[in-house]
Amino acid sequence: MPAVTVENPLTLPRVTAPADAVARPVLAVTTAPSGFEGEGFPVRRAFAGINYRHLDPFIMMDQMGEVEYAPGEPKGTPWHPHRGFETVTYIIDGIFDHQDSNGGGGTITNGDTQWMTAGSGLLHIEAPPESLVMSGGLFHGLQLWVNLPAKDKMMAPRYQDIRGGNVQLLTTPDGGALLRVIAGELDGHQGPGITHTPITMIHATLAPGAEITLPWREDFNGLAYVLAGRGSVGTDRRPIHLGQTAVFGAGSSLTVRADEKQDSHTPDLEVVLLGGQPIREPMAHYGPFVMNTKDELMQAFEDFQKGRLGTIPAVHGMSEGGPQG
């Protein structure tokens, strides 16, 4: 799980919660069901079964893989529309091409993030490049959907290609954890992702036995999803492992700890930490559209069917496939 790493974390800025921070309790730990997306891409549905009031402004998150493809196996989905929210695709291992009906596109690989603001709508495709299809190989990533407030739902679409080398790297006082701030900020350290809805997204790697207690904005919610390994969450050390999500309650700090012993194929605890300012608006979500009312959903489908969200380029230079983004 390379993402972005450093030889010596102690060369990085160090972060810890102040002594008077109020620890966030753990309200729930849920296990993500496994499923398949598109043409048969394996995913874990990280937020399944969690009440939306604990997720807002996040809508869903899929862990894509971790999967070792044989030659000819890499899969994806056909062109598909989006309207009303943002998709965040974070590639930990492997490589992906993406393209949209507005002419945007590019390639993201180890540690890169593609942040797409669908806004008023577009057609989009993500696909493994032909070279990966031919060779096979490791693929592992995340896709997160972030809601947009009503005032921004029909804004012009926008892309941000965030290279792994641009993420803000931090550590804890003892150097036991590497914190990658992809978007938002942590203790005044700003990540590169520009967000419409205020959020923080961090990929943390904790060495065996390491513990992090991070300052967390009190007006944000708090979520932790385990990508690999095992550990505990909260000051009461509630157990958590691969494929589980912890929901934190109110407070100004959150705590995650890695178990002393990890699985043989996973040297560290890998966890994604998410916080966001709840939008607190009605949400109407169906398939690739996230709006505020059923009427707006119907309008989105009508606009898609009438070609108002764009048309697939005649020559798009990509195979018809890629996980839904």
Side-chain angles (χ1 to χ4, degrees):
M1 188 174 291
V4 179
T5 190
V6 293
E7 196 74 28
N8 180 10
L10 289 172
T11 61
L12 301 171
R14 303 177 198 189
V15 176
T16 191
D20 61 351
V22 177
R24 286 177 173 248
V26 176
L27 303 181
V29 172
T30 63
T31 301
S34 296
F36 293 93
E37 185 63 80
E39 297 167 346
F41 195 90
V43 296
R44 284 187 176 92
R45 310 285 190 193
F47 295 162
I50 300 174
N51 190 300
Y52 181 64
R53 65 191 172 89
H54 297 310
L55 298 177
D56 185 11
F58 307 110
I59 301 164
M60 57 151 272
M61 187 168 72
D62 284 348
Q63 181 180 9
M64 307 182 297
E66 179 173 13
V67 58
E68 182 75 46
Y69 280 125
E73 281 189 346
K75 296 180 176 70
T77 63
W79 284 85
H80 51 275
H82 287 307
R83 172 179 280 180
F85 64 103
E86 300 184 284
T87 68
V88 182
T89 306
Y90 174 50
I91 301 299
I92 300 164
D93 285 292
I95 186 169
F96 241 27
D97 291 335
H98 60 91
Q99 188 177 6
D100 71 24
S101 53
N102 287 350
T107 298
I108 48 176
T109 185
N110 302 343
D112 294 341
T113 301
Q114 175 241 329
W115 199 294
M116 185 183 79
T117 304
S120 60
L122 41 63
L123 305 181
H124 185 237
I125 187 173
E126 290 172 310
E130 192 63 29
S131 59
L132 180 65
V133 175
M134 296 294 287
S135 67
L138 186 62
F139 187 84
H140 189 198
L142 273 183
Q143 186 167 97
L144 172 70
W145 288 14
V146 186
N147 203 3
L148 287 169
K151 64 182 179 62
D152 292 329
K153 283 196 178 292
M154 296 299 285
M155 67 176 291
R158 180 183 69 180
Y159 267 108
Q160 299 173 72
D161 271 325
I162 301 168
R163 296 297 149 188
N166 293 334
V167 302
Q168 174 71 61
L169 299 179
L170 306 168
T171 191
T172 45
D174 64 359
L178 176 61
L179 309 172
R180 306 167 188 85
V181 184
I182 297 167
E185 63 89 30
L186 180 64
D187 198 28
H189 300 278
Q190 192 72 38
I194 300 169
T195 69
H196 290 279
T197 303
I199 73 164
T200 293
M201 180 180 183
I202 296 165
H203 173 194
T205 300
L206 284 73
E211 183 173 284
I212 57 175
T213 297
L214 303 179
W216 212 251
R217 278 179 52 169
E218 292 189 64
D219 59 337
F220 276 20
N221 59 359
L223 301 160
Y225 176 74
V226 178
L227 292 165
R230 55 185 63 249
S232 60
V233 284
T235 53
D236 57 352
R237 296 192 175 182
R238 187 158 174 182
I240 192 168
H241 59 73
L242 166 65
Q244 291 190 314
T245 302
V247 178
F248 290 90
S252 56
S253 72
L254 54 82
T255 297
V256 179
R257 188 178 190 280
D259 283 357
E260 298 282 354
K261 290 187 176 180
Q262 297 293 330
D263 300 331
S264 58
H265 62 282
T266 304
D268 303 306
L269 173 66
E270 305 281 351
V271 61
V272 173
L273 303 173
L274 294 168
Q277 196 170 62
I279 296 174
R280 306 268 189 247
E281 292 178 352
M283 185 178 72
H285 172 203
Y286 190 84
F289 305 123
V290 183
M291 305 304 291
N292 293 101
T293 67
K294 287 185 179 178
D295 285 347
E296 289 170 345
L297 272 186
M298 291 171 63
Q299 185 65 53
F301 274 103
E302 181 181 325
D303 289 348
F304 168 54
Q305 289 163 353
K306 294 189 174 178
R308 295 175 188 145
L309 300 191
T311 55
I312 298 171
V315 179
H316 55 77
M318 294 174 60
S319 60
E320 295 275 338
Q324 185 161 333

